[in-house]
Amino acid sequence: MIEIRNLNVDYFGNSALENVNLDIPFGHAVGIIGPNGAGKSTFIKSLLDVIKKRTGKVMVGGKDISEYRRKIAYVPQKNDIDLSFPITVKDTVLTGTYPNLKLFRRPGQKERDRALQCMAMVDISDLADKQISNLSGGQLQRVFIARALAQEAHVFFLDEPFVGIDLVSEKIIVNLLKQLREEGKTILVVHHDLHEVEEYFDKIIILNKKLIAFGDVADTFTTENIRRAYGASLGNVIIRGMGGSGND
């Protein structure tokens, strides 16, 4: 599991995360939800040391997460990606194989075949020679998920993967994430749409600078917890379905 202890993070001089303590078991699709400014993206970036922690430890199996880094794939938000860099789709996906290469070794046929296989898994084989700057939002998201797949990771961190993408891309990505979970992989997804929580995830983390709740969707995705996280911003929201609080 991923063990998080006393995590505190500042962002531009302000507290972004406060004293988060959490154990995330492997083998689940975990949604990370909360209002805008709640620290959701900061949370996964701080776990990976993309953003510096003020205090805290993040461990996997009792060892610092840095020792597990090769087995973790990170798909950032689209606005964190430099699209001006001249690189094709197939070469972008191929970079996912780099963490598993020995020092000074270049990708060979095995790695190229792996990249092609991963492109096929997200239905972008026909885009292989396109520059990433010429892709739609949904196509671009699939490229970076293919790159994560090429890494042969055990844990996947995705930051808002469904924002600004088409329905076809969303369906492909959702089905792939479900397949990865069935294979025993662990997926952590920063997500903003409450309507899809029960369909996409089996566990959720609810954040608003502090940890509001964590657990199985059926137990944790409740009207009470959502109101604690979002306050008055959602009005008289009622969570419907199995995660509700009986107010259907």
Side-chain angles (χ1 to χ4, degrees):
M1 65 174 63
I2 302 172
E3 306 158 62
I4 303 160
R5 296 290 179 269
N6 303 315
L7 178 64
N8 288 273
V9 183
D10 295 333
Y11 195 65
F12 289 107
N14 297 310
S15 177
L17 290 171
E18 301 174 8
N19 201 35
V20 175
N21 290 276
L22 186 59
D23 289 338
I24 305 172
F26 282 165
H28 296 278
V30 183
I32 303 167
I33 63 173
N36 290 336
K40 302 184 297 293
S41 294
T42 299
F43 175 68
I44 63 170
K45 288 178 179 179
S46 66
L47 300 188
L48 298 172
D49 282 334
V50 176
I51 290 178
K52 187 177 179 181
K53 300 181 282 291
R54 172 159 43 93
T55 66
K57 291 183 177 181
V58 183
M59 297 169 288
V60 176
K63 296 182 180 179
D64 191 87
I65 195 171
S66 61
E67 297 187 33
Y68 198 75
R69 192 69 49 80
R70 288 186 180 183
K71 296 300 181 183
I72 299 174
Y74 171 50
V75 180
Q77 291 186 25
K78 292 192 294 293
N79 56 15
D80 288 340
I81 298 166
D82 181 7
L83 297 180
S84 65
F85 188 76
I87 187 170
T88 64
V89 167
K90 64 184 178 185
D91 286 339
T92 301
V93 176
L94 187 62
T95 63
T97 66
Y98 289 5
N100 293 317
L101 292 174
K102 292 182 179 178
L103 196 61
F104 303 122
R105 186 178 161 224
R106 296 175 63 84
Q109 192 59 49
K110 176 185 173 183
E111 287 74 29
R112 296 183 186 282
D113 289 345
R114 175 64 183 167
L116 292 174
Q117 178 188 12
C118 295
M119 289 166 58
M121 290 173 70
V122 292
D123 198 17
I124 55 169
S125 300
D126 57 324
L127 304 176
D129 295 319
K130 272 199 169 187
Q131 296 285 321
I132 62 170
S133 58
N134 295 329
L135 302 179
S136 70
Q139 290 170 337
L140 187 66
Q141 193 64 264
R142 283 189 270 164
V143 169
F144 283 94
I145 288 175
R147 184 181 71 169
L149 292 171
Q151 189 177 329
E152 300 186 82
H154 293 169
V155 180
F156 295 81
F157 287 71
L158 295 89
D159 195 353
E160 298 272 22
F162 303 117
V163 170
I165 70 173
D166 56 278
L167 289 175
V168 171
S169 293
E170 182 164 351
K171 185 176 181 181
I172 289 171
I173 293 170
V174 169
N175 289 338
L176 177 63
L177 296 183
K178 288 179 178 178
Q179 178 185 332
L180 290 172
R181 185 183 66 189
E182 289 171 1
E183 293 173 1
K185 308 293 187 184
T186 305
I187 306 111
L188 281 79
V189 181
V190 173
H191 190 60
H192 73 287
D193 193 337
L194 297 180
H195 294 96
E196 297 154 340
V197 166
E198 290 177 315
E199 180 185 353
Y200 290 180
F201 311 113
D202 57 304
K203 290 184 180 291
I204 53 168
I205 296 167
I206 306 177
L207 286 176
N208 191 350
K209 296 191 176 179
K210 296 181 180 180
L211 178 65
I212 302 298
F214 170 67
D216 293 342
V217 169
D219 302 320
T220 309
F221 190 53
T222 64
T223 299
E224 178 184 357
N225 283 337
I226 294 302
R227 286 177 175 163
R228 284 174 61 205
Y230 288 80
S233 64
L234 288 185
N236 294 319
V237 63
I238 300 295
I239 302 301
R240 301 183 181 277
M242 66 179 181
S245 55
N247 297 317
D248 292 356

